[in-house]
Amino acid sequence: MRYAVLGDIHANLTALEAVLEELKPFEVDEILSVGDLVGYGPSPRETLERVREEGIVSVRGNHDEACSGRLEPLFFSDSARRVAEWTRGELTGEERRWLANLPLSLDLEGCSLAHATYDYPREFRRITTLRDARASLEQIPSQVCFVGHTHVPVAVLQREAGSRELTFSVSSDLDLSSTHRALINPGSVGQPRDEDPRAAFGIFDVETSRYQLHRVSYDIAQEAERVRRAGIPSFLAERLALGV
Ligand code: ZN
C-alpha cells in the first residue's frame, strides 16, 4: 500500500492542482489528508469538489469545523475568523454538512490520521515539543500517524517499543523499518509555514516503511490574485510568497 499524504490544503486550489499533478507518476493507492481542507484560501468550493472527485480520504480540522459552522472560531486570529465566516457563506448546506461530518481521526492499513494530535483529536492541540507527541505515539494502533495543524513538516520518532526517548527529524527521506512509532507532519499544501513557500506533500510506502517529503513549486502570483479577487484579507496572499 502506498499513500500520498496532504496536509492543510486551506482552499488553495492552485497549490492543490500542482500537487495532484506532481503525484501522478507515484501511482499511489490512496491520497490522504490530515484536514483543514478550507479556511484562509479563496477557493473553498472548488477545493472540496477536487478533494471529493479524487476520493481523498480526510479527517476534519479546526478550520473545517469553523467553516462548516460546527465550531465558533473564538480562538482564531482576526483574519482567520473573517475568512471562516466568508467561507461559510460560500459553501452550500450540503458542503458544510459534508465537512462537519468528516471524522476526527482514522485508522487505516498501516497508518492513522488526525488533524492535530491523535489523543484528544477534538481539542486541536499543537505539537511543538517532543512531550506533546508522546500520548499520540502511545495510542496509535499502527506504526505511523500523520498529523497537520502546525503547517511545518517534521517527524517525531520513537525508535524502540517502550522507550521514553523521542527524537525530532526534519529529514525528507525516512527509513522507518527499524523505528517503532512515528508521528509525521507532511507540511502544508496551501499555506506552508517553514519559510519554504513551495507546496508540501508526503509519500508513505507501508510495505517498505519508507516516507519521503516532496515540495512542488506552484504559481503563487496566480493564487495571490485569487485571494485579492475574493476580497479576503490581502495579508493572506502576501504570506504565501514568504512561506510563513
Ligand atoms: Zn491549518
Side-chain angles (χ1 to χ4, degrees), residues 8 10 36 40 63 115 149 151:
D8 296 75
H10 282 297
D36 275 6
Y40 291 127
H63 284 259
H115 181 61
H149 201 42
H151 300 205

Side-chain angles (χ1 to χ4, degrees), residues 20-178:
L20 292 174
E21 190 57 38
E22 189 83 2
L23 276 183
K24 282 182 184 164
F26 291 98
E27 296 182 339
V28 295
D29 299 295
E30 199 129 47
I31 307 177
L32 312 177
S33 146
V34 294
D36 275 6
L37 298 170
V38 296
Y40 291 127
S43 311
R45 297 203 63 195
E46 298 86 342
T47 297
L48 290 188
E49 192 184 329
R50 286 297 279 136
V51 164
R52 295 167 79 173
E53 211 171 69
E54 292 286 331
I56 296 174
V57 175
S58 186
V59 290
R60 185 170 92 224
N62 52 324
H63 284 259
D64 301 323
E65 293 208 339
C67 294
S68 69
R70 188 173 180 131
L71 171 97
E72 281 311 314
L74 299 174
F75 302 108
F76 279 32
S77 67
D78 240 25
S79 55
R81 189 172 58 243
R82 276 171 61 192
V83 182
E85 284 159 2
W86 174 83
T87 303
R88 248 187 238 185
E90 291 288 304
L91 298 176
T92 65
E94 190 276 332
E95 287 162 340
R96 287 197 301 272
R97 279 192 296 280
W98 184 85
L99 265 184
N101 287 317
L102 289 173
L104 279 165
S105 62
L106 273 175
D107 297 317
L108 306 165
E109 184 191 326
C111 70
S112 298
L113 301 178
H115 181 61
T117 64
Y118 185 81
D119 65 313
Y120 301 108
R122 196 176 298 276
E123 294 183 12
F124 303 113
R125 296 175 181 173
R126 277 170 178 276
I127 292 182
T128 50
T129 66
L130 291 170
R131 197 192 158 115
D132 299 333
R134 190 179 304 281
S136 292
L137 287 166
E138 280 167 3
Q139 290 177 25
I140 51 174
S142 46
Q143 188 196 20
V144 177
C145 182
F146 293 102
V147 295
H149 201 42
T150 62
H151 300 205
V152 175
V154 66
V156 179
L157 308 175
Q158 182 188 26
R159 303 271 180 202
E160 284 163 40
S163 167
R164 298 288 292 167
E165 198 187 319
L166 305 178
T167 50
F168 275 123
S169 171
V170 290
S171 168
S172 56
D173 193 352
L174 284 172
D175 172 3
L176 300 171
S177 53
S178 55

Side-chain angles (χ1 to χ4, degrees), residues 153-220:
V154 66
V156 179
L157 308 175
Q158 182 188 26
R159 303 271 180 202
E160 284 163 40
S163 167
R164 298 288 292 167
E165 198 187 319
L166 305 178
T167 50
F168 275 123
S169 171
V170 290
S171 168
S172 56
D173 193 352
L174 284 172
D175 172 3
L176 300 171
S177 53
S178 55
T179 296
H180 179 61
R181 294 273 187 269
L183 189 83
I184 300 176
N185 188 322
S188 170
V189 170
Q191 196 193 81
R193 291 182 192 160
D194 61 337
E195 298 181 14
D196 181 343
R198 295 173 301 166
F201 67 94
I203 297 285
F204 177 53
D205 190 307
V206 176
E207 276 72 43
T208 61
S209 290
R210 188 172 182 198
Y211 171 79
Q212 288 176 293
L213 176 74
H214 296 266
R215 302 303 286 252
V216 51
S217 299
Y218 70 98
D219 192 342
I220 292 177

